[in-house]
Amino acid sequence: MGLAQVARRAFFIMLGAALMAVGLEIFLVPNNIIDGGVVGISIIVSHVSGLPLGIFLFLLNLPFLFLGYKQIGKTFALSTLFGVAIMSIGTTLLHPVAPLTIDPLLAAVFGGVILGIGVGMVIRFGGSLDGTEIVAILVNKKTPFSVGEVVMFFNFFILGSAGFVFGWDHAMYSLIAYYIAFKMIDLTIEGFDESKAVWIISERFKDIGDALVARLGRGVTYFHGEGGFSGDSKRVIFCVITRLEEAKLKSIVDDIDPAAFMAVGNIHDVKGGRFKKKDIH
């Protein structure tokens, strides 16, 4: 990895961790709303002990950083350590700053949005801000449970604990913030210009392929297939489009062969090839 790439990664991890600190200290923590994972545990322990949040954010993540270093990789562990350190320092510096709102619903919504963008940015550039994600990755390797299921299992107990410490109304606001942050993490990682993979099976595959190239400006790839029931030879068209081009693609296929089989799926990332936006006509 070149120096420019390292600098770019460090900048966005720092920016994401700073946003996380803003979401916590300017919105969630002053309104007794927590996040999931180690961050949620840190907020609860900080509230009960009266000690600064930043101390617990750093110390409680250290054991998981060690696990990440041993099991996942040096680059990931160092990126996470950098992000956690920035987040811890940021919460300490922002603690004296007055919250922007004392309305718990507004705090949950806007805090969740900022939190999700920050966490998503750090994950997108190869780090993490919460140790439970590291545990979830390791548990996923040894059990049939997905990373999301493991994280949800931990957070069920952590967010439930908020009810005993802050009251059940604040626990419910915490669930709102957590849900919004979860959605914003996905949006930040995947990007706004979501891509879709399309598979089309048709007797008129050449006409459809030529129309997609000419009218959508998208490259297509032809695969040889065989029908499972009929045993007949089939041609499968594969192409990648943006979310905004999906309706036009379906219209093109329907005009040429209304009986064509088509499957459309979301994909998280596209790199290389000739995947560039062109005019639709």
PDB file of all heavy atoms in Angstrom, residues 140-160:
ATOM      1  N   ASN A 140     -18.334 -16.084  13.784  1.00  0.00           N
ATOM      2  CA  ASN A 140     -18.879 -16.469  12.483  1.00  0.00           C
ATOM      3  C   ASN A 140     -18.028 -17.538  11.802  1.00  0.00           C
ATOM      4  O   ASN A 140     -18.542 -18.401  11.086  1.00  0.00           O
ATOM      5  CB  ASN A 140     -18.995 -15.221  11.596  1.00  0.00           C
ATOM      6  CG  ASN A 140     -19.306 -15.548  10.154  1.00  0.00           C
ATOM      7  OD1 ASN A 140     -18.463 -15.417   9.286  1.00  0.00           O
ATOM      8  ND2 ASN A 140     -20.528 -15.978   9.906  1.00  0.00           N
ATOM      9  N   LYS A 141     -16.718 -17.509  12.046  1.00  0.00           N
ATOM     10  CA  LYS A 141     -15.819 -18.484  11.427  1.00  0.00           C
ATOM     11  C   LYS A 141     -15.994 -19.888  12.004  1.00  0.00           C
ATOM     12  O   LYS A 141     -15.676 -20.878  11.360  1.00  0.00           O
ATOM     13  CB  LYS A 141     -14.357 -18.043  11.604  1.00  0.00           C
ATOM     14  CG  LYS A 141     -13.986 -16.803  10.804  1.00  0.00           C
ATOM     15  CD  LYS A 141     -12.531 -16.433  11.040  1.00  0.00           C
ATOM     16  CE  LYS A 141     -12.142 -15.209  10.214  1.00  0.00           C
ATOM     17  NZ  LYS A 141     -10.729 -14.826  10.428  1.00  0.00           N
ATOM     18  N   LYS A 142     -16.503 -19.973  13.238  1.00  0.00           N
ATOM     19  CA  LYS A 142     -16.581 -21.264  13.932  1.00  0.00           C
ATOM     20  C   LYS A 142     -18.013 -21.755  14.152  1.00  0.00           C
ATOM     21  O   LYS A 142     -18.223 -22.861  14.635  1.00  0.00           O
ATOM     22  CB  LYS A 142     -15.870 -21.168  15.289  1.00  0.00           C
ATOM     23  CG  LYS A 142     -14.386 -20.816  15.191  1.00  0.00           C
ATOM     24  CD  LYS A 142     -13.740 -20.744  16.550  1.00  0.00           C
ATOM     25  CE  LYS A 142     -12.279 -20.347  16.463  1.00  0.00           C
ATOM     26  NZ  LYS A 142     -11.449 -21.359  15.774  1.00  0.00           N
ATOM     27  N   THR A 143     -18.998 -20.913  13.845  1.00  0.00           N
ATOM     28  CA  THR A 143     -20.396 -21.288  14.065  1.00  0.00           C
ATOM     29  C   THR A 143     -21.217 -20.979  12.814  1.00  0.00           C
ATOM     30  O   THR A 143     -20.755 -20.259  11.916  1.00  0.00           O
ATOM     31  CB  THR A 143     -20.997 -20.512  15.257  1.00  0.00           C
ATOM     32  OG1 THR A 143     -21.121 -19.129  14.894  1.00  0.00           O
ATOM     33  CG2 THR A 143     -20.141 -20.663  16.498  1.00  0.00           C
ATOM     34  N   PRO A 144     -22.450 -21.496  12.738  1.00  0.00           N
ATOM     35  CA  PRO A 144     -23.299 -21.201  11.569  1.00  0.00           C
ATOM     36  C   PRO A 144     -23.951 -19.824  11.612  1.00  0.00           C
ATOM     37  O   PRO A 144     -24.658 -19.446  10.680  1.00  0.00           O
ATOM     38  CB  PRO A 144     -24.373 -22.302  11.646  1.00  0.00           C
ATOM     39  CG  PRO A 144     -24.453 -22.662  13.092  1.00  0.00           C
ATOM     40  CD  PRO A 144     -23.059 -22.510  13.619  1.00  0.00           C
ATOM     41  N   PHE A 145     -23.719 -19.063  12.702  1.00  0.00           N
ATOM     42  CA  PHE A 145     -24.363 -17.755  12.835  1.00  0.00           C
ATOM     43  C   PHE A 145     -23.620 -16.696  12.024  1.00  0.00           C
ATOM     44  O   PHE A 145     -22.387 -16.682  11.978  1.00  0.00           O
ATOM     45  CB  PHE A 145     -24.425 -17.333  14.303  1.00  0.00           C
ATOM     46  CG  PHE A 145     -25.196 -18.284  15.166  1.00  0.00           C
ATOM     47  CD1 PHE A 145     -24.546 -19.126  16.059  1.00  0.00           C
ATOM     48  CD2 PHE A 145     -26.578 -18.354  15.082  1.00  0.00           C
ATOM     49  CE1 PHE A 145     -25.251 -20.011  16.853  1.00  0.00           C
ATOM     50  CE2 PHE A 145     -27.303 -19.229  15.872  1.00  0.00           C
ATOM     51  CZ  PHE A 145     -26.636 -20.069  16.752  1.00  0.00           C
ATOM     52  N   SER A 146     -24.382 -15.786  11.403  1.00  0.00           N
ATOM     53  CA  SER A 146     -23.777 -14.704  10.632  1.00  0.00           C
ATOM     54  C   SER A 146     -23.235 -13.627  11.566  1.00  0.00           C
ATOM     55  O   SER A 146     -23.566 -13.598  12.763  1.00  0.00           O
ATOM     56  CB  SER A 146     -24.817 -14.076   9.691  1.00  0.00           C
ATOM     57  OG  SER A 146     -25.795 -13.364  10.435  1.00  0.00           O
ATOM     58  N   VAL A 147     -22.405 -12.738  11.017  1.00  0.00           N
ATOM     59  CA  VAL A 147     -21.859 -11.630  11.801  1.00  0.00           C
ATOM     60  C   VAL A 147     -22.990 -10.766  12.348  1.00  0.00           C
ATOM     61  O   VAL A 147     -22.988 -10.370  13.515  1.00  0.00           O
ATOM     62  CB  VAL A 147     -20.892 -10.780  10.943  1.00  0.00           C
ATOM     63  CG1 VAL A 147     -20.464  -9.521  11.704  1.00  0.00           C
ATOM     64  CG2 VAL A 147     -19.668 -11.593  10.547  1.00  0.00           C
ATOM     65  N   GLY A 148     -23.992 -10.485  11.501  1.00  0.00           N
ATOM     66  CA  GLY A 148     -25.119  -9.665  11.929  1.00  0.00           C
ATOM     67  C   GLY A 148     -25.909 -10.299  13.062  1.00  0.00           C
ATOM     68  O   GLY A 148     -26.346  -9.619  13.993  1.00  0.00           O
ATOM     69  N   GLU A 149     -26.088 -11.625  13.015  1.00  0.00           N
ATOM     70  CA  GLU A 149     -26.835 -12.323  14.063  1.00  0.00           C
ATOM     71  C   GLU A 149     -26.086 -12.290  15.396  1.00  0.00           C
ATOM     72  O   GLU A 149     -26.697 -12.124  16.456  1.00  0.00           O
ATOM     73  CB  GLU A 149     -27.095 -13.764  13.638  1.00  0.00           C
ATOM     74  CG  GLU A 149     -28.143 -13.896  12.548  1.00  0.00           C
ATOM     75  CD  GLU A 149     -28.221 -15.299  11.973  1.00  0.00           C
ATOM     76  OE1 GLU A 149     -27.236 -16.065  12.119  1.00  0.00           O
ATOM     77  OE2 GLU A 149     -29.256 -15.637  11.372  1.00  0.00           O
ATOM     78  N   VAL A 150     -24.768 -12.434  15.344  1.00  0.00           N
ATOM     79  CA  VAL A 150     -23.968 -12.408  16.570  1.00  0.00           C
ATOM     80  C   VAL A 150     -24.011 -11.019  17.198  1.00  0.00           C
ATOM     81  O   VAL A 150     -24.195 -10.869  18.414  1.00  0.00           O
ATOM     82  CB  VAL A 150     -22.509 -12.828  16.285  1.00  0.00           C
ATOM     83  CG1 VAL A 150     -21.660 -12.711  17.554  1.00  0.00           C
ATOM     84  CG2 VAL A 150     -22.447 -14.245  15.759  1.00  0.00           C
ATOM     85  N   VAL A 151     -23.847  -9.987  16.371  1.00  0.00           N
ATOM     86  CA  VAL A 151     -23.898  -8.607  16.867  1.00  0.00           C
ATOM     87  C   VAL A 151     -25.269  -8.310  17.464  1.00  0.00           C
ATOM     88  O   VAL A 151     -25.385  -7.697  18.534  1.00  0.00           O
ATOM     89  CB  VAL A 151     -23.575  -7.608  15.729  1.00  0.00           C
ATOM     90  CG1 VAL A 151     -23.860  -6.172  16.175  1.00  0.00           C
ATOM     91  CG2 VAL A 151     -22.122  -7.734  15.300  1.00  0.00           C
ATOM     92  N   MET A 152     -26.326  -8.770  16.800  1.00  0.00           N
ATOM     93  CA  MET A 152     -27.680  -8.541  17.303  1.00  0.00           C
ATOM     94  C   MET A 152     -27.898  -9.238  18.641  1.00  0.00           C
ATOM     95  O   MET A 152     -28.558  -8.696  19.535  1.00  0.00           O
ATOM     96  CB  MET A 152     -28.704  -9.052  16.280  1.00  0.00           C
ATOM     97  CG  MET A 152     -30.146  -8.700  16.612  1.00  0.00           C
ATOM     98  SD  MET A 152     -30.451  -6.914  16.584  1.00  0.00           S
ATOM     99  CE  MET A 152     -30.390  -6.606  14.833  1.00  0.00           C
ATOM    100  N   PHE A 153     -27.313 -10.425  18.815  1.00  0.00           N
ATOM    101  CA  PHE A 153     -27.433 -11.167  20.074  1.00  0.00           C
ATOM    102  C   PHE A 153     -26.813 -10.371  21.218  1.00  0.00           C
ATOM    103  O   PHE A 153     -27.407 -10.216  22.284  1.00  0.00           O
ATOM    104  CB  PHE A 153     -26.745 -12.528  19.936  1.00  0.00           C
ATOM    105  CG  PHE A 153     -26.729 -13.337  21.207  1.00  0.00           C
ATOM    106  CD1 PHE A 153     -27.858 -14.023  21.624  1.00  0.00           C
ATOM    107  CD2 PHE A 153     -25.579 -13.393  21.983  1.00  0.00           C
ATOM    108  CE1 PHE A 153     -27.842 -14.772  22.802  1.00  0.00           C
ATOM    109  CE2 PHE A 153     -25.547 -14.134  23.153  1.00  0.00           C
ATOM    110  CZ  PHE A 153     -26.682 -14.822  23.562  1.00  0.00           C
ATOM    111  N   PHE A 154     -25.600  -9.843  21.002  1.00  0.00           N
ATOM    112  CA  PHE A 154     -24.939  -9.025  22.018  1.00  0.00           C
ATOM    113  C   PHE A 154     -25.756  -7.778  22.334  1.00  0.00           C
ATOM    114  O   PHE A 154     -25.979  -7.422  23.501  1.00  0.00           O
ATOM    115  CB  PHE A 154     -23.544  -8.602  21.546  1.00  0.00           C
ATOM    116  CG  PHE A 154     -22.504  -9.682  21.664  1.00  0.00           C
ATOM    117  CD1 PHE A 154     -21.811 -10.108  20.555  1.00  0.00           C
ATOM    118  CD2 PHE A 154     -22.217 -10.275  22.884  1.00  0.00           C
ATOM    119  CE1 PHE A 154     -20.850 -11.111  20.651  1.00  0.00           C
ATOM    120  CE2 PHE A 154     -21.261 -11.269  22.993  1.00  0.00           C
ATOM    121  CZ  PHE A 154     -20.580 -11.693  21.872  1.00  0.00           C
ATOM    122  N   ASN A 155     -26.207  -7.118  21.279  1.00  0.00           N
ATOM    123  CA  ASN A 155     -26.881  -5.836  21.467  1.00  0.00           C
ATOM    124  C   ASN A 155     -28.256  -5.978  22.106  1.00  0.00           C
ATOM    125  O   ASN A 155     -28.763  -5.024  22.708  1.00  0.00           O
ATOM    126  CB  ASN A 155     -26.996  -5.110  20.127  1.00  0.00           C
ATOM    127  CG  ASN A 155     -25.655  -4.583  19.663  1.00  0.00           C
ATOM    128  OD1 ASN A 155     -24.752  -4.367  20.469  1.00  0.00           O
ATOM    129  ND2 ASN A 155     -25.492  -4.387  18.362  1.00  0.00           N
ATOM    130  N   PHE A 156     -28.871  -7.140  21.969  1.00  0.00           N
ATOM    131  CA  PHE A 156     -30.163  -7.384  22.622  1.00  0.00           C
ATOM    132  C   PHE A 156     -30.021  -7.207  24.142  1.00  0.00           C
ATOM    133  O   PHE A 156     -30.855  -6.573  24.786  1.00  0.00           O
ATOM    134  CB  PHE A 156     -30.653  -8.791  22.291  1.00  0.00           C
ATOM    135  CG  PHE A 156     -31.918  -9.176  23.013  1.00  0.00           C
ATOM    136  CD1 PHE A 156     -33.150  -8.728  22.566  1.00  0.00           C
ATOM    137  CD2 PHE A 156     -31.869  -9.983  24.150  1.00  0.00           C
ATOM    138  CE1 PHE A 156     -34.315  -9.082  23.227  1.00  0.00           C
ATOM    139  CE2 PHE A 156     -33.029 -10.341  24.821  1.00  0.00           C
ATOM    140  CZ  PHE A 156     -34.256  -9.891  24.362  1.00  0.00           C
ATOM    141  N   PHE A 157     -28.947  -7.734  24.697  1.00  0.00           N
ATOM    142  CA  PHE A 157     -28.718  -7.622  26.141  1.00  0.00           C
ATOM    143  C   PHE A 157     -28.220  -6.228  26.525  1.00  0.00           C
ATOM    144  O   PHE A 157     -28.610  -5.688  27.566  1.00  0.00           O
ATOM    145  CB  PHE A 157     -27.713  -8.681  26.598  1.00  0.00           C
ATOM    146  CG  PHE A 157     -28.243 -10.084  26.516  1.00  0.00           C
ATOM    147  CD1 PHE A 157     -27.896 -10.901  25.456  1.00  0.00           C
ATOM    148  CD2 PHE A 157     -29.116 -10.563  27.482  1.00  0.00           C
ATOM    149  CE1 PHE A 157     -28.395 -12.193  25.374  1.00  0.00           C
ATOM    150  CE2 PHE A 157     -29.620 -11.859  27.403  1.00  0.00           C
ATOM    151  CZ  PHE A 157     -29.260 -12.681  26.344  1.00  0.00           C
ATOM    152  N   ILE A 158     -27.368  -5.650  25.678  1.00  0.00           N
ATOM    153  CA  ILE A 158     -26.804  -4.344  26.005  1.00  0.00           C
ATOM    154  C   ILE A 158     -27.882  -3.263  25.974  1.00  0.00           C
ATOM    155  O   ILE A 158     -28.001  -2.450  26.899  1.00  0.00           O
ATOM    156  CB  ILE A 158     -25.653  -3.993  25.039  1.00  0.00           C
ATOM    157  CG1 ILE A 158     -24.495  -4.972  25.242  1.00  0.00           C
ATOM    158  CG2 ILE A 158     -25.176  -2.553  25.249  1.00  0.00           C
ATOM    159  CD1 ILE A 158     -23.462  -4.930  24.136  1.00  0.00           C
ATOM    160  N   LEU A 159     -28.689  -3.259  24.918  1.00  0.00           N
ATOM    161  CA  LEU A 159     -29.753  -2.259  24.817  1.00  0.00           C
ATOM    162  C   LEU A 159     -30.842  -2.502  25.863  1.00  0.00           C
ATOM    163  O   LEU A 159     -31.452  -1.565  26.363  1.00  0.00           O
ATOM    164  CB  LEU A 159     -30.360  -2.277  23.411  1.00  0.00           C
ATOM    165  CG  LEU A 159     -29.433  -1.780  22.292  1.00  0.00           C
ATOM    166  CD1 LEU A 159     -30.032  -2.066  20.926  1.00  0.00           C
ATOM    167  CD2 LEU A 159     -29.138  -0.296  22.438  1.00  0.00           C
ATOM    168  N   GLY A 160     -31.043  -3.771  26.211  1.00  0.00           N
ATOM    169  CA  GLY A 160     -31.998  -4.079  27.274  1.00  0.00           C
ATOM    170  C   GLY A 160     -31.537  -3.543  28.623  1.00  0.00           C
ATOM    171  O   GLY A 160     -32.351  -3.105  29.455  1.00  0.00           O
TER     172      GLY A 160
END
